[in-house]
Amino acid sequence: MAVKIKLKRLGKIRSPHYRIVVADSRTRRDGRAIEEIGLYHPVQNPSRIEVDSDRAQYWLSVGAQPTEPVLAILKLTGDWQKYKGEPAPAPLLVAEPKADKRVLFEAAAKDTADEPKGEAITPKAKKSDKADKKADDVEATAPAESTEA
């Protein structure tokens, strides 16, 4: 039985996620797998790549052949070089951990607490003033219409 290490596609139409699986070469791309040995999420920045190194080494040692995309991933993680006995590559880029939202909120609240709490620069117009202006406008138009008749 020919065994391959290949990518199993998951995710939505324009949001692919892959699992690195060991499967019979005759199975479909997303068909039944013998074992899952890793993850690959290319949409994230930087791409998320996780490979169980021990299992990858085992499957390579028993003759499993990686497909071209998986070979590129194994070269990035250093598993292929370990299998071949070559020097390891530079480490992968890792996404920076996201800041805690609570800490950010508390910092923003602290910054706004120092602002002056005085009155507004321009006073707000009162509702009674607006009502008086509307009444004046109505009175000004009404007598002009009555004098014509």
Side-chain angles (χ1 to χ4, degrees):
M1 174 170 80
V3 177
K4 288 209 176 250
I5 302 174
K6 56 187 180 178
L7 295 176
K8 180 178 184 178
R9 190 180 196 282
L10 303 168
K12 295 185 272 186
I13 290 177
R14 288 176 186 79
S15 176
H17 301 284
Y18 298 95
R19 290 188 184 155
I20 301 170
V21 297
V22 177
D24 183 9
S25 63
R26 296 169 289 187
T27 60
R28 297 175 305 186
R29 178 190 72 181
D30 301 334
R32 197 181 81 194
I34 298 170
E35 183 179 359
E36 293 179 2
I37 61 171
L39 299 172
Y40 174 51
H41 295 241
V43 177
Q44 294 180 0
N45 189 13
S47 297
R48 180 178 170 200
I49 299 173
E50 295 177 12
V51 178
D52 185 0
S53 184
D54 295 336
R55 296 308 296 163
Q57 293 301 315
Y58 167 76
W59 283 107
L60 290 170
S61 68
V62 296
Q65 295 296 312
T67 60
E68 288 183 20
V70 173
L71 181 61
I73 291 171
L74 292 176
K75 284 182 180 178
L76 285 174
T77 60
D79 292 319
W80 185 255
Q81 288 86 342
K82 186 189 283 185
Y83 171 68
K84 289 291 188 179
E86 299 172 358
L92 290 173
L93 292 175
V94 180
E96 295 179 14
K98 293 184 179 178
D100 186 22
K101 289 184 180 180
R102 170 168 271 170
V103 173
L104 292 175
F105 175 77
E106 289 173 357
K110 188 176 181 181
D111 290 342
T112 58
D114 296 338
E115 293 181 8
K117 296 181 180 177
E119 295 182 18
I121 296 172
T122 56
K124 186 175 180 181
K126 296 181 180 177
K127 289 184 179 180
S128 61
D129 293 342
K130 291 180 181 178
D132 292 340
K133 288 181 181 178
K134 286 183 182 178
D136 292 340
D137 292 340
V138 171
E139 290 174 5
T141 57
E145 294 172 3
S146 62
T147 56
E148 291 177 11

